[in-house]
Amino acid sequence: MIKPRDVQVCPIGVETLVLRSRTWDRLKFEIEYGLQRGTTANSYLIQADKIALFDPPGESFTEIFLKAIKQRIDPKTIDYVILSHVNPNRGETIKALLEIAPQITIVCSNPGAMLLPNILLPQFPNQLKVVKGEDTLDLGQGHELEFIPTPNPRYPAQLCTYDPKTEILYTDKLFGAHVCGDQIFDEGWAVYAEDRRYYFDCLIAPYGKQIATGLEKLSRKPAKIYGTGHGPLVRYGLTELTAFYEQWLKAQKSQELSVALIYASAYGNTAVLGQAIASGITKAGVRVDSINAEAAEPDEIKEAIRQCSGFIFGSPTLGGHAPTQIQTALGITLANADKTKLAGVFGSYGWSGEAIDLLEGKIRDGGYQFGFDPIRVKFTPTEGTLKTCEEAGTDFAQTIKKAQKSRKPKSSVNESQTARTEQALGRIVGSLCIVTCQQGEVNGAMLASWVSQATFNPPGFTVAVAKERAIESLLHKGSSFVLNILKEGNHLGLMKQFLKPFSPGEDRFAGVKIETAENGSPILQDALAYLECTVGDRMECGDHWVIYGVAKKGKVLEEGVTAVHYRKSGNHY
């Protein structure tokens, strides 16, 4: 049974409280919530000579959040509401606060101030304070807040805040994780490693250039605590997590190939689709340069197009057309992109979706090849839609990588030695298996030959999963799957089925005899044996994730010999 939503309140510093609005199930169908471990919306309250409230939660928490506030202070004594970023979901709670406490001054960045009227009208704060870098706000008793704008295309209004009295750095979207629990801080911080890496890959990696600039600014503040927007506050693993962010950003920057993802989003749905596509691209080892056309300068778009190996446009449909900013960005792109660059189009719409057709038509008329069929989504995307977008992004990246590989010159002596090493590595023999899983409306399958028993108690094994595999995002810690072990002699048909390329969203099990395991995953009836498993752990190893599977139950379906795979190279399955 899922726990009801609540607000957890705890002191974290002198005159400072955190109010964690907790939801224990998946909050939204966005790729960043894909681990389905719930999340917290963290608000903060500083009660000095002046009182400041940071980041009221979204509308689903409005009532219980205001109740929690009223149990501690009179809202009419709040002087400031500081917004680390501005979004429509937060608007209802802000309006409710302003109704009972009209004296409140809203504090935000200039981009935030530009967004606020659309969110708060017809109600609007009587006082609005716009801050920029190096501005301060003195709350008294040593709480002289310092503001650090850290904008990125997805959150152009992002504003971090440092309190020198408590040495708390309020980081908004940075250093967070979508995980809900009773822990306020990150004691035993390593247990959050997977959640934080997943959050980074989904939410931070597509904006690596801007995030790196923001982190450089934040590094000048001697923080002891990161007051994150989501998940546990960072205290015990602060040094390590900061180093991980630097390492992950460096890896993103070092990618040789890049994709320019240019979008606009009227209600947020197109941005969600773009985020899922970007996640699929980055997991395949290609950098994404996400550009919000509504805020980007023409030179920024031009430079990204000249450097990229492919470009993707995302647009809503407004009044039967694409937004003016998207049409301008498309003109810049068609004028500067050579015909070897791969293209893609996606978008959400309410009724007819003409903007997607317009983009597709102009790009196709320009002579460009498409890396995936245009993605058209009516209203809010579903879990299945997001998976299709992620797979489309991965396919797009793989096509770019194959094109680059075909243009490479003849191998050097050192590369020939590498090839001989790969040939020797390929002589390691593994059993042939099919990994299958089902999560809600999304399923996955892959052929695996890198499988090895790892433990007796509990009965466990490891399987290597390439980062760019579509199934990889379904195999996080705690996920269920089935390992189907193939039989020598009748394995070729199943190999052929699961080796063929699948289109994004295509059913992997069409025409295959299956039954459903107790854990919900497909069992292949023509397999030699199967194991129902849970992901016990996973470790990042180069271009693969090594998954440690714990076998919960299993069965030999027929007598026979396990099929094995003999490879010529350690660089191929």
Side-chain angles (χ1 to χ4, degrees):
M1 182 178 176
I2 297 174
K3 297 180 183 179
R5 296 185 178 192
D6 63 6
V7 179
Q8 180 189 36
V9 183
C10 183
I12 59 170
V14 179
E15 293 101 27
T16 306
L17 297 176
V18 62
L19 299 93
R20 303 199 326 145
S21 300
R22 299 190 293 184
T23 181
W24 301 86
D25 57 352
R26 182 168 185 166
L27 182 63
K28 302 176 184 177
F29 282 121
E30 296 186 20
I31 195 76
E32 66 186 82
Y33 301 100
L35 294 186
Q36 303 186 44
R37 294 175 185 165
T39 193
T40 68
N42 298 334
S43 307
Y44 301 90
L45 187 68
I46 300 176
Q47 296 172 269
D49 296 334
K50 299 286 187 178
I51 297 177
L53 173 66
F54 289 76
D55 299 322
E59 58 186 332
S60 61
F61 283 100
T62 299
E63 184 177 343
I64 61 174
F65 179 78
L66 290 181
K67 181 179 179 181
I69 285 286
K70 290 175 181 178
Q71 288 174 345
R72 286 154 182 87
I73 61 168
D74 180 355
K76 293 182 180 180
T77 64
I78 298 174
D79 296 284
Y80 303 101
V81 168
I82 298 171
L83 300 180
S84 300
H85 72 275
V86 175
N87 64 26
N89 186 45
R90 187 174 281 173
E92 292 304 313
T93 307
I94 298 172
K95 286 192 282 188
L97 266 172
L98 291 174
E99 284 181 6
I100 58 178
Q103 81 288 342
I104 286 174
T105 296
I106 300 291
V107 180
C108 63
S109 66
N110 187 59
M114 295 172 66
L115 294 169
L116 271 179
N118 294 330
I119 294 170
L120 296 183
L121 289 178
Q123 188 173 2
F124 201 72
N126 295 326
Q127 297 86 24
L128 178 65
K129 181 177 178 63
V130 178
V131 295
K132 56 185 183 296
E134 307 305 324
D135 280 353
T136 61
L137 178 63
D138 192 354
L139 302 181
Q141 301 181 42
H143 298 277
E144 188 171 359
L145 305 183
E146 302 172 14
F147 297 105
I148 312 104
T150 54
N152 64 65
R154 181 71 190 276
Y155 298 103
Q158 184 166 268
L159 180 71
C160 295
T161 307
Y162 179 66
D163 182 355
K165 175 71 174 286
T166 57
E167 296 184 293
I168 297 174
L169 180 60
Y170 299 96
T171 60
D172 191 41
K173 293 293 183 179
L174 300 173
F175 303 113
H178 287 309
V179 57
C180 187
D182 292 325
Q183 273 187 243
I184 302 292
F185 292 102
D186 61 337
E187 300 96 330
W189 57 268
V191 301
Y192 298 113
E194 181 180 16
D195 299 285
R196 284 171 168 165
R197 177 59 189 271
Y198 182 85
Y199 180 94
F200 175 92
D201 287 343
C202 292
L203 205 62
I204 306 298
Y207 317 110
K209 182 179 179 181
Q210 296 88 350
I211 297 295
T213 300
L215 290 188
E216 197 279 326
K217 296 179 185 177
L218 298 183
S219 68
R220 304 167 195 165
K221 307 299 178 183
K224 291 184 177 178
I225 295 173
Y226 289 158
T228 57
H230 301 288
L233 282 64
V234 181
R235 177 180 179 181
Y236 299 94
L238 186 148
T239 300
E240 289 83 0
L241 182 57
T242 304
F244 280 139
Y245 259 59
E246 292 171 353
Q247 174 188 326
W248 298 335
L249 287 169
K250 184 178 179 181
Q252 286 293 317
K253 186 177 180 180
S254 67
Q255 299 292 353
E256 183 179 355
L257 301 175
S258 69
V259 172
L261 196 154
I262 303 169
Y263 71 94
S265 189
Y267 303 104
N269 291 331
T270 301
V272 168
L273 299 176
Q275 189 174 326
I277 293 170
S279 178
I281 294 170
T282 55
K283 70 184 282 186
V286 174
R287 189 178 77 253
V288 176
D289 292 327
S290 287
I291 298 173
N292 187 336
E294 297 171 286
E297 295 294 331
D299 286 346
E300 179 186 356
I301 298 172
K302 187 182 299 185
E303 183 64 20
I305 289 299
R306 285 177 175 172
Q307 293 183 0
C308 72
S309 300
F311 60 88
I312 301 174
F313 269 81
S315 176
T317 297
L318 303 176
H321 301 282
T324 301
Q325 298 94 328
I326 284 291
Q327 296 189 47
T328 300
L330 181 62
I332 294 171
T333 298
L334 296 179
N336 290 277
D338 61 66
K339 300 300 185 288
T340 63
K341 297 185 189 295
L342 201 64
V345 171
F346 69 95
S348 66
Y349 60 97
W351 303 108
S352 51
E354 293 92 344
I356 306 165
D357 299 330
L358 169 71
L359 293 174
E360 179 191 5
K362 289 193 174 183
I363 292 172
R364 204 175 291 281
D365 290 345
Y368 298 93
Q369 296 295 314
F370 280 74
F372 54 80
D373 292 334
I375 296 174
R376 306 164 55 92
V377 178
K378 193 169 184 178
F379 299 116
T380 305
T382 65
E383 184 178 12
T385 301
L386 293 181
K387 186 61 178 171
T388 297
C389 288
E390 181 188 297
E391 292 175 10
T394 299
D395 285 356
F396 194 92
Q398 289 173 332
T399 301
I400 287 174
K401 290 165 72 175
K402 287 176 183 176
Q404 183 210 34
K405 188 175 181 180
S406 68
R407 293 192 292 267
K408 278 190 173 181
K410 189 176 179 180
S411 299
S412 66
V413 173
N414 287 339
E415 289 171 334
S416 297
Q417 177 58 51
T418 300
R420 288 194 289 271
T421 303
E422 291 171 353
Q423 290 170 7
L425 184 61
R427 296 308 187 264
I428 298 174
V429 176
S431 57
L432 277 171
C433 303
I434 307 292
V435 177
T436 59
C437 60
Q438 180 83 35
Q439 291 184 14
E441 63 183 76
V442 177
N443 60 42
M446 71 166 229
L447 179 69
S449 62
W450 296 356
V451 180
S452 178
Q453 186 170 349
T455 55
F456 287 120
N457 187 20
F461 61 91
T462 59
V463 56
V465 181
K467 290 181 177 178
E468 58 193 39
R469 292 273 195 166
I471 199 174
E472 179 273 332
S473 58
L474 303 177
L475 293 174
H476 286 274
K477 194 171 181 179
S479 301
S480 297
F481 68 97
V482 167
L483 184 75
N484 299 272
I485 303 158
L486 303 188
K487 178 184 176 182
E488 180 67 36
N490 72 345
H491 63 287
L492 295 179
L494 289 172
M495 279 188 65
K496 183 178 180 181
Q497 167 71 13
F498 293 104
L499 273 176
K500 72 180 183 181
F502 291 97
S503 301
E506 183 179 351
D507 183 8
R508 271 71 172 161
F509 302 100
V512 178
K513 292 186 293 182
I514 61 173
E515 59 183 87
T516 303
E518 288 183 10
N519 67 14
S521 299
I523 297 171
L524 305 182
Q525 295 180 4
D526 290 332
L528 174 68
Y530 73 89
L531 294 167
E532 295 189 37
C533 313
T534 299
V535 177
D537 210 340
R538 52 186 261 156
M539 179 173 66
E540 187 175 10
C541 298
D543 55 3
H544 281 64
W545 288 96
V546 174
I547 306 296
Y548 171 61
V550 178
K552 300 298 184 179
K553 62 178 295 186
K555 184 179 180 181
V556 176
L557 297 177
E558 60 177 299
E559 294 301 318
V561 177
T562 302
V564 296
H565 183 41
Y566 296 94
R567 296 172 293 135
K568 292 183 179 180
S569 169
N571 201 31
H572 302 283
Y573 279 108

